[in-house]
Amino acid sequence: MTLAPWNLDAWNSLGERRRRGALPHAILLAGPAGLGKREFADEFACALLCESPGADGRACGNCRACRLVAAGTHPDLVRVSFELRDDGKPRTELTVDQMRALSERLALTAQFGGAQIALIDPADAMNHAASNALLKTLEEPTPGTIIVLLADHPARLPATIRSRCQRIEFRVPEAKLALQWLAAQGVDGKQAADALAASDGNPGLALDWARGDAMQLRGEVARDLRELNAGVAAAYDVAQRWSRDESDLRLRFAAALAQQQGRAQAQAASMQAGGPLALTRTVDLVKLTLWFDRANRTRDLLRGPIRPELAMLELLTAWTAAAG
């Protein structure tokens, strides 16, 4: 497993604390998806359980513990994530029963006589009861246990949870480093630059988008918004088409494009009419900012029991008022 180069400082910091015997019992890995925190968590857990770690603190990959971790059968590594519902679909939240089961598991003696590691991902998907149950475990930690929480949206975690964790932030790297990394993954030139710009500098997302059809989708979203503003397209038709997607990527792109145009307006930089991603000819910055927030709220609404075509229609109907 290879750590992203922009995460090496965080790795070295935890390694130093481990050498001093000063690792916290709870660690929060916080930051947007795509920056490598899940790979970081896996590598960290494997290193803690490894029987022959290297001088750099990395797992050897060959001992019994490493082989068990790789096979997903190490008895002292607990992973908590979405369980399946009765209909076979994954739940959208972590439940109180999961946290209670975790607490009972960590209260037992480690089977290999070393540390017990728990990875909770995504921790920001815990419901209220689950958060309260985990808080009790964090307040009275079992010796020799380390709980690692992963959160793409750490602000959704209760302050009581965040305050009991050592927080490690995962931030977007400098563009030069990100482009070098993308080139090493086989994506370079204009494709890498365009994907990196679209992802606001997030190299992991840029890699996924460059390898898939996301950039084409982004272009379609920009076209739809332009045509809505020009009166060429009907909000109902666009909403129906957008609501057929299972993911919220269209909304993500729409919000990002609106934000980018708002930034351009704030900087008094006129966008060239007819440019590839020019969405409007004139912009009311306040209205555009409000629409950006509204688009993100709609993304949250779509996670619940709501008819997606109606949420999309309401949002897109508001677009022309915001951007016209």
Side-chain angles (χ1 to χ4, degrees), residues 218-219 222-223 226 257 260-261 271-272 274-280:
R218 182 173 181 261
R223 181 202 63 204
R226 283 198 306 270
L257 288 166
Q260 289 172 14
Q261 182 150 331
M271 299 186 73
Q272 182 180 358
L277 292 179
L279 308 183
T280 66

Side-chain angles (χ1 to χ4, degrees), residues 160-174:
T160 49
I161 296 287
R162 299 196 304 268
S163 67
R164 285 166 173 79
C165 300
Q166 176 69 47
R167 181 164 172 158
I168 297 179
E169 294 285 352
F170 287 73
R171 299 184 175 89
V172 297
E174 294 182 357

Side-chain angles (χ1 to χ4, degrees), residues 196-207:
L196 194 63
S199 66
D200 275 337
N202 186 317
L205 285 183
L207 178 63

Side-chain angles (χ1 to χ4, degrees), residues 2-9 177 181:
T2 303
L3 290 175
W6 53 86
N7 293 333
L8 291 179
D9 286 345
L177 180 60
W181 181 80

